[in-house]
Amino acid sequence: MWRQEPGEGGARVTYAVEVPAEGMVIDALFAIQTQHDTSFAFRVACRSGICGSCAVRIDGREGLACQVPLASTPDGFRVEPLRHLPVLRDLVVDLSPFFEKYGAVHPEFRPRPDLQEPARITAAERGIVERAVNCISCGACWSACDVMGLNPGFLGPAALARAWALAADVRERDGDVRLRAAGSRDGVWRCHSLGACTTVCPKAVAPSLAIQALRRRALRSR
Amino acid sequence: MNEVAFDVLVIGSGGAGLMACLHAARAEPGLRIGLAVKGLVGKSGCTRMVQGGYNAVLHPDDSVDLHFRDTLEGGAYLNDQELAWVLVNRAPQVIRELETRAGCFFDRNPDGSIHQKAFAGQAFDRTVHRADLTGIEIVSKLRDSLFGLPQVTELEEHRVLDLLRGPGGEAAGAVLLDQRTGEFLVARARCVIVCTGGGATMYRLATPSLEKSGDGVAMCARAGLPCIDMEMMQFHPTGIVAGGARLTGMILEEGLRGAGAHLRNARGERFMARYDAARMERSTRDLVSRAEFLEIQAGRGTATGGVWLDASHLGAAFVASNFPGMVERMALLGRDLTREPIEVTPTAHFHMGGVRIAVDCRTAIPGLLVAGEDAGGVHGANRLGGNGVAESTVFGAVAGETAAAFCSAGGTLPGYDRGSAGATAARAARFLRPGRSPFEVRRKLNDLMWEKGGLVRDAAGLESAARELTRLGAELEEVGVRGARVLNPGWQEAMNLESLLLVAPMLIAAAAARTESRGSHYRTDHPERDDGCWLRRTVTRWEGEQVTVSTEPVTLSRIRPQEVRT
């Protein structure tokens, strides 16, 4: 486990704990908290893969602690906080940089003025954005992205996936605003197409596909 | 203590809190709004965890009258009919708003219109959804909407410790703990909206988000506000059984039963035939949960104390395409929902009881509004699946509008008593000492409530529960936590426990007072529903060190029980 007191450097500490047979990594974190140290800090809320609070790195790979079975790591495992974000304490990171970038693409829906009733949506129209709208903003993709480490200005995979979800939404008024944000200096052209974001996403959002789609749109509009 | 000031302080960022912000800001764009949440905005609370969906009348063959009757029949006529009327009438507006203003993308029929599915206890298929994980869609989009509202200041990982009162007793703000710094903070406000969610987490098996602890009801009770029908705690019938893992108690969604999944005991019998032969598995949650509990108690449960939920006869392809989230959840545990029966148990889910509110969410304290699960009355003795997210979003919107009207009617920021703010902070800080683990006392509370205050109750058990709760209250004073103040989960747990230990005695006292069985409240010593004596609500409050209970008649302002039975 990564242990880090506020304002200090961190270090790995190894624990042996009793865990339930059907447990997930989150159960091991709780076991440390209840069996060893009540001050061991990690985030958790829904414990069912819905809220995205518990994203961490497990043996170097990003995932939701509540969705990784202990049975998949029978010989023990290493848990560390997400990368490219300041650590507040132990496994808890400050997500502000992530949400600042997310906010930069104007993630709020801006309806067309004529949208008074729920729109008739065809399966094809919906299929375009189906994956991108499933984002739970857990930050796993941000941590997995090597470009994020090299270019802290990069908007990052989640923000770009949101930009795509809105740019491609037939009900949206300001798709252009998102295309411009995504096409900016720190947008889609920074991506090196390594695909780590898509590999680790616990919700199969596939940000790299969204980034490709945004690039195609941007090229077409040039 | 540092101070911040707002016009409106919203406590909680589930469906109610987010809608309150949006509607207050829309009604009065100049308002400064503070949004305080003990977790992360949009990630804590239970609206996000909604699986099945959202009941709203959209189809021309459906009617709000029918939805109203279903809600009252489901609630065994204990509902505050005026609150239920607001719910059914505003739910369709809110669904439209979520689609056309927040950008939610609910599932569609082949013709492109919104799809509505079957849910238990309802006469019409009116549950709007996005596959089987509807809450993510709603809360993610509401949370995104906040990015367009610079007048909303988010106070994340800020736990509200208690409400502050002005010189005339009016709401004046709250005392908070900024968990990221470990420092206390006063948030002053002209209007405060409490919407933190309920305390079903006081039970051993429970569905809610783990950080929830009935803080809203606790702070209102501490302020002396009356709570109604506190005995009404809903148990959901299809909780997952997963040993000691935290996933235990998490639910498989209601729509499975709506779609035709069967429940069987260990002998392979569809036992619902004994309890509700007409509706079988599509009966209401209270009846199905109790039936399961009684089957298990009678020795007809599985070896690990559950019953079987079987959807395999619906066809693997149907189950996989309609319940992908549930299939994925079971796959994590190595089980195949599409092809094999799954072991399930009743699990504490939702508190129907709560703070007494008016139809505009006002309470007896001027400037203090309550919305969502913290409030009582909407659902009566049992909530229909799909009415919970409707309640939180509808009444969140109502509270936001009331707050805006309240603030625009004039008035200034009330003063507050620094002494009482300091005392609140000192009370929270008392846990920063060597002492017993809060997790250990919490486990005792959860076991006690499960065994004596749960699905099946009687006078002796409730009496003993009340005594044991007093003892746990004393144990709370021995709790202490180590480590720095910043993001200290042990300290948080001590405060969670403190809230739950205020709510649980109210529940037990109300359950002891109601000498009948109705909805989710079942007494083996009073097993029948008694409309002659008990079309009454319990009113519970803390007065000093005592919980007092009184009763008053339910106002049957729109319909009476016999008018529906035909």
Side-chain angles (χ1 to χ4, degrees):
Chain A
M1 292 299 140
W2 187 259
R3 298 300 311 263
Q4 182 171 346
E5 286 294 296
E8 297 175 18
R12 285 184 195 151
V13 180
T14 303
Y15 295 93
V17 288
E18 299 264 340
V19 292
E22 297 190 284
M24 305 290 151
V25 166
I26 203 85
D27 290 292
L29 303 185
F30 276 114
I32 293 171
Q33 206 173 64
T34 51
Q35 295 167 29
H36 289 277
D37 182 357
T38 59
S39 75
F40 174 47
F42 56 91
R43 283 200 181 104
V44 64
C46 78
R47 56 61 167 100
S48 53
I50 288 172
C51 74
S53 297
C54 66
V56 288
R57 280 185 304 146
I58 301 158
D59 285 335
R61 181 187 160 131
E62 286 74 10
L64 300 178
C66 72
Q67 298 288 290
V68 178
L70 289 170
S72 66
T73 57
D75 301 322
F77 51 93
R78 193 175 79 239
V79 183
E80 293 154 306
L82 296 181
R83 298 192 302 166
H84 319 315
L85 295 165
V87 173
L88 296 172
R89 183 175 192 175
D90 297 334
L91 301 177
V92 180
V93 294
D94 180 1
L95 285 164
S96 313
F98 172 86
F99 280 108
E100 263 163 45
K101 301 289 175 54
Y102 189 76
V105 302
H106 307 288
E108 74 281 8
F109 180 65
R110 297 176 178 177
R112 290 192 327 245
D114 60 334
L115 190 71
Q116 300 302 323
E117 286 292 315
R120 297 259 161 168
I121 304 282
T122 67
E125 286 167 337
R126 183 174 162 136
I128 296 174
V129 296
E130 181 76 30
R131 293 182 79 170
V133 296
N134 285 333
C135 176
I136 57 172
S137 59
C138 65
C141 56
W142 171 286
S143 173
C145 176
D146 283 333
V147 177
M148 224 51 252
L150 299 170
N151 277 304
F154 180 42
L155 288 173
L160 293 170
R162 182 65 187 147
W164 169 244
L166 289 167
D169 190 329
V170 293
R171 307 167 302 173
E172 249 285 335
R173 178 186 77 208
D174 278 342
D176 294 356
V177 171
R178 280 49 170 257
L179 286 176
R180 272 200 302 278
S184 70
R185 199 168 52 91
D186 289 320
V188 289
W189 307 108
R190 290 269 186 201
C191 169
H192 293 189
S193 304
L194 299 172
C197 51
T198 298
T199 307
V200 302
C201 176
K203 291 285 149 186
V205 169
S208 44
L209 294 182
I211 290 170
Q212 281 172 27
L214 284 165
R215 283 176 168 171
R216 281 196 298 274
R217 281 274 178 105
L219 287 174
R220 213 187 310 151
S221 63
R222 271 185 185 176
Chain B
M1 237 180 281
N2 281 337
E3 240 184 61
V4 287
F6 305 103
D7 295 301
V8 182
L9 175 66
V10 179
I11 307 172
S13 77
L18 294 172
M19 284 293 278
C21 288
L22 294 171
H23 277 250
R26 201 170 287 156
E28 286 289 336
L31 291 177
R32 296 160 306 158
I33 301 168
L35 174 60
V37 51
K38 110 195 206 192
L40 299 175
V41 172
K43 290 190 189 295
S44 55
C46 284
T47 309
R48 187 174 187 98
M49 293 174 70
V50 167
Q51 303 181 349
Y54 191 122
N55 298 338
V57 175
L58 301 177
H59 196 280
D61 295 340
D62 196 6
S63 72
V64 292
D65 193 52
L66 202 56
H67 186 189
F68 184 64
R69 282 164 186 269
D70 283 343
T71 299
L72 263 53
E73 186 69 17
Y77 292 89
L78 199 59
N79 317 60
D80 179 319
Q81 296 197 0
E82 295 310 305
L83 291 178
W85 189 246
V86 171
L87 176 82
V88 298
N89 277 281
R90 286 203 61 166
Q93 297 167 24
V94 170
I95 282 292
R96 286 189 175 85
E97 175 186 339
L98 289 172
E99 271 267 345
T100 63
R101 299 199 70 163
C104 291
F105 236 137
F106 298 115
D107 281 2
R108 292 301 202 263
N109 292 310
D111 72 354
S113 61
I114 291 181
H115 179 257
Q116 295 181 279
K117 67 178 171 183
F119 244 34
Q122 300 193 62
F124 199 91
D125 296 352
R126 66 168 72 90
T127 307
V128 177
H129 64 109
R130 178 170 159 81
D132 57 351
L133 291 172
T134 306
I136 297 179
E137 182 67 8
I138 294 172
V139 171
S140 292
K141 301 307 174 277
L142 290 176
R143 198 263 176 276
D144 285 343
S145 300
L146 287 188
F147 283 92
L149 295 177
Q151 64 269 56
V152 178
T153 303
E154 294 173 6
L155 300 167
E156 287 189 308
E157 289 174 331
H158 278 62
R159 181 187 186 108
V160 173
L161 302 173
D162 213 351
L163 301 170
L164 279 172
R165 311 285 288 277
E170 73 275 32
V175 183
L176 285 70
L177 167 63
D178 177 350
Q179 298 169 54
R180 291 182 190 169
T181 62
E183 300 298 322
F184 298 108
L185 175 74
V186 166
R188 300 176 63 183
R190 295 158 67 193
C191 181
V192 177
I193 303 176
V194 174
C195 41
T196 68
T201 47
M202 71 177 77
Y203 289 87
R204 185 198 298 155
L205 299 176
T207 64
S209 192
L210 299 176
E211 78 285 2
K212 279 178 69 168
S213 53
D215 299 334
V217 169
M219 64 184 83
C220 289
R222 220 181 271 124
L225 285 177
C227 293
I228 59 172
D229 304 328
M230 290 295 278
E231 69 279 22
M232 296 303 175
M233 173 67 72
Q234 178 171 78
F235 291 79
H236 193 288
T238 51
I240 295 170
V241 177
R246 294 277 164 158
L247 204 53
T248 298
M250 185 62 210
I251 38 186
L252 288 172
E253 75 121 317
E254 182 125 338
L256 283 161
R257 285 186 293 122
H262 293 163
L263 284 167
R264 288 202 170 81
N265 60 22
R267 294 181 189 167
E269 298 163 338
R270 282 180 71 191
F271 56 85
M272 281 311 296
R274 272 197 283 282
Y275 304 90
D276 187 349
R279 293 185 295 183
M280 294 295 285
E281 286 87 355
R282 283 181 72 168
S283 181
T284 48
R285 289 176 174 178
D286 50 346
L287 284 169
V288 181
S289 292
R290 190 155 58 245
E292 290 176 1
F293 190 87
L294 293 171
E295 287 295 305
I296 295 164
Q297 216 176 31
R300 296 191 288 270
T302 61
T304 43
V307 296
W308 299 107
L309 176 74
D310 190 357
S312 60
H313 61 280
L314 301 175
F318 173 84
V319 175
S321 69
N322 285 280
F323 303 100
M326 300 302 110
V327 171
E328 197 183 323
R329 184 169 292 168
M330 291 320 299
L332 266 183
L333 294 169
R335 313 225 174 92
D336 186 352
L337 176 65
T338 68
R339 296 179 195 281
E340 61 181 338
I342 303 291
E343 200 175 356
V344 295
T345 168
T347 172
H349 186 48
F350 182 90
H351 204 173
M352 277 76 67
V355 181
R356 189 212 296 268
I357 59 166
V359 287
D360 59 0
C361 295
R362 287 179 201 248
T363 66
I365 295 176
L368 180 66
L369 313 179
V370 177
E373 194 182 359
D374 309 47
V378 176
H379 310 289
N382 174 57
R383 173 169 75 70
L384 292 182
N387 269 359
V389 59
E391 178 195 21
S392 63
T393 52
V394 162
F395 285 93
V398 169
E401 289 155 14
T402 302
F406 180 87
C407 289
S408 63
T412 53
L413 200 60
Y416 69 97
D417 176 17
R418 278 166 211 280
S420 80
T424 295
R427 203 182 69 225
R430 80 185 188 280
F431 295 118
L432 299 166
R433 64 191 174 197
R436 302 173 67 152
S437 162
F439 297 105
E440 173 204 324
V441 183
R442 172 69 177 274
R443 198 165 48 239
K444 286 190 188 177
L445 170 69
N446 290 2
D447 287 343
L448 170 66
M449 291 305 291
W450 185 258
E451 280 148 25
K452 295 183 178 162
L455 283 136
V456 173
R457 304 163 173 171
D458 62 36
L462 292 166
E463 213 172 283
S464 124
R467 276 196 309 273
E468 287 180 54
L469 283 172
T470 307
R471 196 150 52 233
L472 290 181
E475 288 188 22
L476 177 69
E477 298 314 314
E478 297 164 9
V479 162
V481 298
R482 51 178 272 194
R485 298 163 64 110
V486 172
L487 292 164
N488 185 324
W491 193 16
Q492 295 305 313
E493 181 68 358
M495 291 184 275
N496 290 342
L497 186 58
E498 186 165 40
S499 288
L500 291 173
L501 281 171
L502 266 181
V503 180
M506 299 174 88
L507 187 154
I508 294 295
R514 183 175 291 280
T515 49
E516 64 148 1
S517 292
R518 178 181 302 270
S520 58
H521 171 71
Y522 181 74
R523 295 268 306 247
T524 51
D525 48 352
H526 298 279
E528 300 300 323
R529 170 168 151 178
D530 181 357
D531 277 357
C533 295
W534 273 108
L535 273 173
R536 302 179 72 82
R537 60 179 77 271
T538 59
V539 183
T540 316
R541 60 175 97 212
W542 274 98
E543 292 182 41
E545 299 295 301
Q546 290 290 320
V547 176
T548 62
V549 189
S550 58
T551 69
E552 60 186 46
V554 175
T555 308
L556 301 170
S557 52
R558 292 181 185 270
I559 50 175
R560 309 178 64 81
Q562 57 271 28
E563 289 167 30
V564 174
R565 286 297 167 78
T566 46

